[in-house]
Amino acid sequence: MPAIVLIGAQWGDEGKGKATDLLGEQLQWVVRYQGGNNAGHTVVLPNGEKFALHLIPSGILTPAVTNVIGNGVVVDPGVLLTELAGLEARGVDTTRLLLSADAHLIMPYHVAIDKVTERFLGAKKIGTTGRGIGPCYQDKIARVGVRAADVLDEKILTQKVEAALEFKNQVLVKIYNRKALDPQQVVDEVLEQAEGFKHRIADTRLELNRALDRGETVLLEGSQGTLLDVDHGTYPYVTSSNPTSGGAAVGSGIGPTKITTVLGILKAYTTRVGSGPFPTELFDEFGVYLADKGGEIGVTTGRGRRTGWFDAVIARYATRVNGITDYFLTKLDVLSSLETIPICVAYDVDGVRHEEMPMSQSDIHHAKPIYEEMPGWSEDITAARTFEELPQAAQNYVLRLEELSGAFMSCIGVGPGRDETIVRREIIR
């Protein structure tokens, strides 16, 4: 009864959709367990067709897989309906999508507050996407949130919205000089949207545990990455949830003892979207090269990603806090044609060498990368399907990353396509 966690081991955008798609034929369930529509996956089918997914799990593109938006996710009803309509217009069957009754809904006032708060912070902004994710999680923790099941009872929904806006309208009007929102208008809008998804609301905790009892395979799919985790990331420049593997149990209702594998996704270099520290960030022609050749544009945000060399300090940290058993290394092909490839093996913080993540926010901001150089390769590797078919320099690079990261590189992405992957060790075993 394998439950597998799929987690980004850097700052997100590592290529988790490709990993999910690769495993798709062996899965019966795919669960999104945290985050909202502030992140996304790109999946490329064998025919070259691309799909950008934001809220809906990547398993939606694999027939016979049941997909779940878990209780740990915050859901914008309008975005959900738009994404479903877009998939259905392209011939994708969406009938096997369930929504946890306990998933919290992003309300119009969450989006309004998110946008005005970021503008108010100016140079001190966190770098949110302005989609209401943080304010929705704030309401969840404050126990004043609206959950998916609330749309099934108009009285409860109205009470919650009225109570929320009694305070939030004061904030919008008196602090940010914005218009107050009408509670009834908000309720009416959400109930209208609910007509398009309320038939999908289910006790997904029960369904997932029954599936595991039947011996079915469940993949728990996180969004963002380890260094954006609200507890374990580069705080405060993080997301508002727990993308790390511990969040998978909480955000799905599956007990941690049922998780058998934790698959970390690592890019062969490093990227980050938004504000915050990034020790290996490049500002030269190599940064431009990685961004251009790697197509480093955020799937959901459309923002260009910051780029840098591979950071082994982060990889070791991700291995430890997630309990990673296997790695999927993506975008190795992007490095082809480089004469040498630097790897950050440690940090220099005010003259002191750190081989592990610095403890304080100040130290991570002052961290300077300590590099070792590996020989590059010039060959096109996109046709390689076994590890031995890679150029020796590429093999050596992968093995060095494996050694520095502390977990086996089970899969290697050598191109964007579904079949452009080397499998050294099966993930489901």
Side-chain angles (χ1 to χ4, degrees):
M1 52 171 197
I4 301 165
V5 178
L6 181 69
I7 173 67
Q10 294 157 318
W11 276 285
D13 303 307
E14 300 93 349
K16 294 180 287 293
K18 180 179 174 66
T20 305
D21 195 51
L22 177 72
L23 297 170
E25 302 298 334
Q26 305 172 71
L27 304 171
Q28 285 78 53
W29 297 75
V30 177
V31 184
R32 171 79 179 276
Y33 63 81
Q34 53 74 224
N37 59 302
N38 56 342
H41 302 313
T42 298
V43 179
V44 183
L45 299 185
N47 61 6
E49 193 174 6
K50 287 186 179 182
F51 287 85
L53 303 171
H54 309 284
L55 271 175
I56 297 175
S58 301
I60 198 72
L61 300 175
T62 303
V65 169
T66 302
N67 294 267
V68 172
I69 297 175
N71 58 276
V73 180
V74 291
V75 179
D76 184 315
V79 171
L80 175 61
L81 295 178
T82 298
E83 190 167 345
L84 283 167
L87 289 169
E88 290 162 0
R90 297 175 68 180
V92 177
D93 179 9
T94 67
T95 57
R96 299 176 71 92
L97 174 70
L98 300 178
L99 171 62
S100 169
D102 292 332
H104 279 247
L105 299 183
I106 297 173
M107 307 297 282
Y109 45 81
H110 293 139
V111 178
I113 288 175
D114 198 1
K115 289 179 177 178
V116 297
T117 302
E118 276 288 278
R119 283 198 291 269
F120 182 79
L121 288 172
K124 297 179 181 179
K125 66 182 180 180
I126 301 299
T128 79
T129 58
R131 289 170 163 80
I133 311 295
C136 186
Y137 275 115
Q138 286 176 338
D139 277 5
K140 176 179 179 177
I141 299 306
R143 294 162 296 184
V144 294
V146 175
R147 301 196 293 184
D150 294 334
V151 303
L152 304 177
D153 187 326
E154 184 175 350
K155 183 177 179 181
I156 287 179
L157 177 64
T158 301
Q159 289 174 348
K160 288 190 172 186
V161 170
E162 287 176 346
L165 283 178
E166 188 172 342
F167 170 73
K168 295 182 193 302
N169 273 338
Q170 298 291 321
V171 174
L172 286 170
V173 174
K174 295 183 178 179
I175 297 178
Y176 296 116
N177 196 29
R178 295 296 190 273
K179 278 184 63 177
L181 298 177
D182 177 66
Q184 191 57 52
Q185 189 174 341
V186 171
V187 169
D188 291 344
E189 179 183 337
V190 173
L191 287 176
E192 183 179 351
Q193 292 169 328
E195 291 301 313
F197 67 80
K198 66 183 184 181
H199 62 287
R200 301 179 185 274
I201 297 173
D203 183 350
T204 56
R205 275 187 299 257
L206 180 62
E207 295 297 331
L208 289 169
N209 280 281
R210 282 177 171 172
L212 289 170
D213 289 343
R214 293 193 297 268
E216 296 174 4
T217 302
V218 176
L219 181 72
L220 303 163
E221 176 183 71
S223 64
Q224 291 105 8
T226 298
L227 274 297
L228 289 178
D229 187 282
V230 69
D231 285 292
H232 305 293
T234 48
Y235 190 91
Y237 301 96
V238 293
T239 194
S240 302
S241 58
N242 293 109
T244 44
S245 60
V250 176
S252 65
I254 290 175
T257 55
K258 294 187 176 181
I259 294 171
T260 57
T261 301
V262 180
L263 175 62
I265 313 300
L266 272 175
K267 202 173 280 185
Y269 48 100
T270 310
T271 62
R272 158 159 217 174
V273 171
S275 307
F278 184 178
T280 67
E281 184 171 11
L282 295 168
F283 301 96
D284 56 14
E285 68 274 16
F286 291 108
V288 174
Y289 168 87
L290 292 175
D292 287 348
K293 191 168 181 183
E296 298 300 347
I297 301 293
V299 175
T300 294
T301 64
R303 294 186 289 183
R305 299 179 188 131
R306 300 154 65 189
T307 58
W309 299 121
F310 186 89
D311 189 328
V313 179
I314 286 174
R316 280 194 293 275
Y317 179 73
T319 301
R320 182 168 62 252
V321 300
N322 290 296
I324 288 172
T325 58
D326 300 76
Y327 269 118
F328 190 135
L329 185 70
T330 63
K331 293 197 172 184
L332 184 64
D333 53 300
V334 172
L335 302 181
S336 296
S337 79
L338 294 173
E339 287 187 19
T340 60
I341 307 172
I343 302 171
C344 172
V345 295
Y347 298 148
D348 180 309
V349 181
D350 299 326
V352 178
R353 182 184 176 98
H354 288 248
E355 295 193 356
E356 301 296 345
M357 280 287 288
M359 184 175 67
S360 73
Q361 180 180 337
S362 177
D363 282 352
I364 187 66
H365 275 278
H366 290 95
K368 297 178 180 178
I370 298 173
Y371 288 116
E372 71 174 42
E373 301 252 341
M374 296 285 291
W377 60 93
S378 58
E379 297 93 331
D380 180 356
I381 64 172
T382 56
R385 294 297 177 268
T386 67
F387 188 65
E388 292 70 27
E389 290 175 336
L390 290 173
Q392 189 60 51
Q395 293 184 40
N396 293 342
Y397 181 74
V398 172
L399 293 174
R400 182 59 176 148
L401 298 193
E402 181 176 274
E403 178 184 18
L404 291 166
S405 302
F408 191 76
M409 298 286 176
S410 295
C411 301
I412 303 162
V414 294
R418 175 186 283 190
D419 61 334
E420 293 176 327
T421 302
I422 293 170
V423 178
R424 294 176 69 206
R425 181 170 78 181
E426 294 293 335
I427 301 301
I428 299 176
R429 52 185 185 270

